[in-house]
Amino acid sequence: MSELDKQLVQAVKNLSVLQQSAVPKSSAMAINRVATRAISRSVKDTAKEVRIKQQVIRPRAKITKATTKRPVAFVRVRRFDVPAISIDTARTQIKRRKGRMLFSSMSRNRRGRYAKREHAGNTAIVVGRHKFENAFLQRLKNGRWHIMQRTSDKRYPIEVCKVPIVNEITRAFKKHSQLLMKTDMPKELSSAMGQQIRLLVRREVGRGH
């Protein structure tokens, strides 16, 4: 076999290796980069819209990265409401009237029975950039602390204070996942493919091929 034939055989072999190894690796690398970028931008937009810090929302998005055998990345997003206690440090606000603080407290009448509160709904809990009227801190049976809010005079008039994010986070992920697939995916795929080719060439040169 002539030297030219040997080089041709080696070139065909290198192309086969490129198709079997470099292409799947490049695809997985590009997909993971785009998925990670979509998470970052979606979290940023959602945090700005609902007025919550990014570090509170970021743990809600988990990525299962693409591999050479499965070139698909899965992003799982927990879209349920954010409990107010998780947003930031809670601060109690007390309303004032003519410079005097208004405390809600129970009092007894002449017969010793509890009478109506002197003031009602005078405290609020402020967490980050959110304010919850008629709210208070309470430890639940599961041992966790939550910010509770009095909502009505019904039998069960309190509920856990939360900030809804389902619409905002869904809209952000749809927007950025679709946009990045059009704008960034081709560039990332080209860059990853070039990197894999350089690694393959360097490895073959090191082997003397």
Side-chain angles (χ1 to χ4, degrees):
M1 182 182 293
S2 66
E3 185 63 26
L4 181 60
D5 292 335
K6 291 181 180 180
Q7 292 178 0
L8 182 60
V9 171
Q10 187 59 47
V12 172
K13 183 179 179 181
N14 291 343
L15 288 174
S16 178
V17 172
L18 182 65
Q19 183 177 2
Q20 295 176 3
S21 177
V23 173
K25 287 183 179 179
S26 301
S27 300
M29 188 182 300
I31 292 171
N32 290 333
R33 287 176 179 175
V34 171
T36 302
R37 196 168 301 156
I39 292 175
S40 177
R41 295 185 182 182
S42 299
V43 167
K44 183 178 180 180
D45 284 2
T46 304
K48 183 179 180 180
E49 194 168 354
V50 300
R51 299 178 300 161
I52 294 178
K53 294 180 180 179
Q54 293 185 42
Q55 52 262 41
V56 176
I57 300 178
R58 188 174 292 112
R60 290 170 166 257
K62 299 292 184 180
I63 180 175
T64 302
K65 293 187 175 182
T67 62
T68 54
K69 295 182 179 180
R70 192 199 62 229
V72 179
F74 296 94
V75 178
R76 182 186 178 190
V77 184
R78 294 180 295 163
R79 303 182 297 169
F80 52 81
D81 299 346
V82 179
I85 196 70
S86 303
I87 297 175
D88 207 337
T89 303
R91 309 188 310 276
T92 301
Q93 272 191 355
I94 301 175
K95 291 182 180 179
R96 293 174 179 267
R97 179 181 296 172
K98 296 181 180 180
R100 295 179 59 188
M101 291 185 178
L102 303 179
F103 293 93
S104 296
S105 59
M106 297 294 294
S107 59
R108 295 177 182 268
N109 58 18
R110 293 180 181 179
R111 297 181 180 179
R113 296 179 179 179
Y114 282 109
K116 188 177 181 180
R117 290 176 181 268
E118 182 181 356
H119 303 294
N122 298 314
T123 60
I125 299 291
V126 178
V127 188
R129 299 171 62 186
H130 292 267
K131 182 178 181 180
F132 301 93
E133 297 287 350
N134 304 329
F136 53 92
L137 286 169
Q138 181 174 331
R139 190 172 186 177
L140 304 185
K141 292 182 179 180
N142 58 13
R144 295 181 180 179
W145 285 89
H146 274 288
I147 299 174
M148 312 298 290
Q149 187 176 43
R150 192 168 299 279
T151 58
S152 67
D153 294 330
K154 296 180 180 180
R155 184 177 181 183
Y156 302 105
I158 60 174
E159 62 182 20
V160 177
C161 295
K162 299 178 181 180
V163 177
I165 65 170
V166 58
N167 294 329
E168 292 81 2
I169 200 168
T170 301
R171 186 163 55 247
F173 268 93
K174 284 184 177 180
K175 170 187 172 183
H176 289 294
S177 59
Q178 294 174 1
L179 181 62
L180 289 174
M181 284 299 293
K182 294 180 180 178
T183 59
D184 288 29
M185 188 61 183
K187 294 184 292 185
E188 291 294 345
L189 188 56
S190 177
S191 175
M193 192 66 185
Q195 182 179 350
Q196 290 299 318
I197 292 174
R198 287 192 296 272
L199 291 175
L200 177 61
V201 171
R202 187 180 303 171
R203 183 169 62 248
E204 293 302 321
V205 170
R207 294 175 179 175
H209 297 154

